[in-house]
Amino acid sequence: MRAILHVCTTCRAEAAAGDDPRPGALLHDALAGAALPDGVELRPVECLSACSQGCSVALSAPGKWTYVYGRLTPENATDILTGAAAYAATADGLVPWRERPVIFRKQSLARIPPQE
Amino acid sequence: MRAILHVCTTCRAEAAAGDDPRPGALLHDALAGAALPDGVELRPVECLSACSQGCSVALSAPGKWTYVYGRLTPENATDILTGAAAYAATADGLVPWRERPVIFRKQSLARIPPQE
């Protein structure tokens, strides 16, 4: 089992135009600096098109539901990785509700069915 | 080239609890009653987890970026299908900005990179 954790590095969140580094890049740095769970691969991406709900991340893997979460900060890095590990451990991406970090329960932006 | 157009049939949008049929089901009915473009397959799905931004749809296909759109109504059915046709015709899911329906430019909830 595995999962790709996509992190939008261009998210501005509440930052002013021109702020550098952007909040999305800071979130990516926080995740990259932590110990990645088994089976989770971190990938920076320029824009997840969730700009009004940034910072945002997405979890995807072949044969699994895809999930997108928003309104995240670097302080959420540990919870994001906990949630990513639970996702990676599933066959279909569906983590039981009570086993999801609170940020994943309350800050879902979308989920998309698996591709064949 | 092809695309799956997922339509959330449980979206409530502004409807009151208990309203039946739900706005998401009405959006699905509007799409199902129209002529589907070549290469586009319509699939109902129970909840795209974009509840606060419904009604919502998602476009996905192997090897392509996935897109999720929200705040849609049955009146948007023709534009949704126009946008789905343009998406289906691409190799990677990236439709040039000017060729996207306005609802797809302004009502994106998220996009997710292709799976390998």
Side-chain angles (χ1 to χ4, degrees):
Chain A
M1 300 300 169
R2 56 187 276 272
I4 309 297
L5 175 61
H6 307 273
V7 183
C8 179
T9 58
T10 48
C11 270
R12 293 187 183 281
E14 303 296 319
D19 275 9
D20 193 43
R22 293 193 184 188
L26 294 175
L27 176 59
H28 177 266
D29 290 350
L31 292 164
L36 284 183
D38 283 349
V40 175
E41 181 187 336
L42 185 66
R43 285 196 197 165
V45 57
E46 292 191 0
C47 198
L48 287 170
S49 286
C51 311
S52 68
Q53 300 286 324
C55 296
S56 61
V57 305
L59 282 166
S60 68
K64 299 189 187 189
W65 285 76
T66 293
Y67 282 84
V68 189
Y69 301 101
R71 304 187 298 281
L72 301 167
T73 71
E75 289 67 44
N76 298 133
T78 300
D79 282 347
I80 292 168
L81 293 176
T82 299
Y87 175 89
T90 65
D92 55 9
L94 299 170
V95 176
W97 184 257
R98 292 184 178 190
E99 296 171 23
R100 300 180 193 185
V102 172
I103 52 169
F104 280 17
R105 294 185 212 160
K106 297 194 172 176
Q107 292 165 226
S108 167
L109 300 187
R111 66 171 196 163
I112 302 100
Q115 293 172 7
E116 296 92 76
Chain B
M1 300 299 168
R2 56 187 276 271
I4 309 298
L5 175 60
H6 307 273
V7 183
C8 178
T9 57
T10 47
C11 271
R12 292 188 184 280
E14 305 295 321
D19 275 9
D20 193 42
R22 294 193 182 188
L26 295 174
L27 175 59
H28 178 266
D29 289 349
L31 291 164
L36 283 183
D38 283 347
V40 175
E41 180 186 337
L42 184 66
R43 285 196 197 164
V45 54
E46 290 191 1
C47 195
L48 288 170
S49 285
C51 313
S52 67
Q53 302 286 323
C55 296
S56 60
V57 304
L59 282 166
S60 68
K64 300 189 187 189
W65 286 76
T66 293
Y67 282 84
V68 189
Y69 301 101
R71 305 187 298 279
L72 300 167
T73 71
E75 288 68 41
N76 298 133
T78 300
D79 282 346
I80 292 169
L81 293 175
T82 298
Y87 175 90
T90 66
D92 56 9
L94 299 171
V95 176
W97 185 258
R98 291 185 180 189
E99 296 171 24
R100 300 180 193 185
V102 172
I103 51 168
F104 279 17
R105 294 185 211 160
K106 298 193 172 177
Q107 291 164 228
S108 167
L109 300 187
R111 66 172 196 162
I112 301 99
Q115 293 173 7
E116 294 93 78

